[in-house]
Amino acid sequence: MKKPLSTGLSVLALAFALTACGGSAGTSTSSSAAAPSPSASSSSSSSAPSPSASSAAAAPAELKTATSGAGQRVVAANGKSVYFFTKDVKGSGKSACTGGCATTWPAVTTTAATPAVEGVGGTIGTIPTADGKMQITINGMPIYFYSKDEDSSDTYGQGVGGVWYLVSPSGSMMTPSGSTY
């Protein structure tokens, strides 16, 4: 009876040794979690990082600031400029840009209830879109991309039709006269 137990422990020890020497961090975690006995499992789970420790890491910023020829402006995580639409009503909870407008000026959306920002002032929130997504708002105003901005330095939407303006780091509209909306 002692021989099968010692053989099993030897196999287990060999599995741990091979995992520690040859596997990547992801491999060693998954194989060691499957191999140990219940008593070894409880001791390894106490040394594993807790879920709260990994969730405590800061989420990447969905909005941040960047500099272009137009000056400091707010950009999305992909680096593209974001814009306000002057026909939107602050705090209305809806976008005035629908149909073809929404094709040319897609909403900046998020999956987070509270989008992470870096260097962006103002009150950050969300409103529902027509297709059930969440559009990011700054100071109660929805924000958009411009479909003709292809590169992170592009600001082609600035001033289009006299109703589309870049968003400044303070969360205000960057108008040509330097005044903010």
Side-chain angles (χ1 to χ4, degrees), residues 93-111:
K94 62 182 183 176
S95 169
C97 182
T98 60
C101 176
T103 302
T104 303
W105 298 91
V108 178
T109 60
T110 183
T111 57

Side-chain angles (χ1 to χ4, degrees), residues 86-166:
T86 61
K87 294 185 179 184
D88 282 324
V89 176
K90 184 177 184 173
S92 71
K94 62 182 183 176
S95 169
C97 182
T98 60
C101 176
T103 302
T104 303
W105 298 91
V108 178
T109 60
T110 183
T111 57
T114 306
V117 298
E118 184 178 299
V120 180
T123 304
I124 308 300
T126 60
I127 60 171
T129 63
D131 61 358
K133 295 179 181 173
M134 291 188 297
Q135 182 172 8
I136 300 176
T137 62
I138 301 176
N139 294 326
M141 294 286 288
I143 58 174
Y144 307 85
F145 292 114
Y146 184 42
S147 62
K148 293 184 181 179
D149 284 351
E150 294 179 5
D151 186 74
S152 62
S153 63
D154 291 346
T155 58
Y156 297 124
Q158 177 65 353
V160 169
V163 294
W164 291 97
Y165 295 101
L166 290 165

Side-chain angles (χ1 to χ4, degrees), residues 12-31:
L12 184 60
L14 179 61
F16 276 120
L18 290 174
T19 301
C21 293
S24 68
T27 304
S28 66
T29 302
S30 63
S31 64

Side-chain angles (χ1 to χ4, degrees), residues 54-81:
S54 60
S55 65
E62 292 187 64
L63 298 176
K64 54 190 176 180
T65 61
T67 303
S68 70
Q72 279 284 106
R73 72 199 192 290
V74 176
V75 298
N78 63 7
K80 292 191 177 181
S81 300

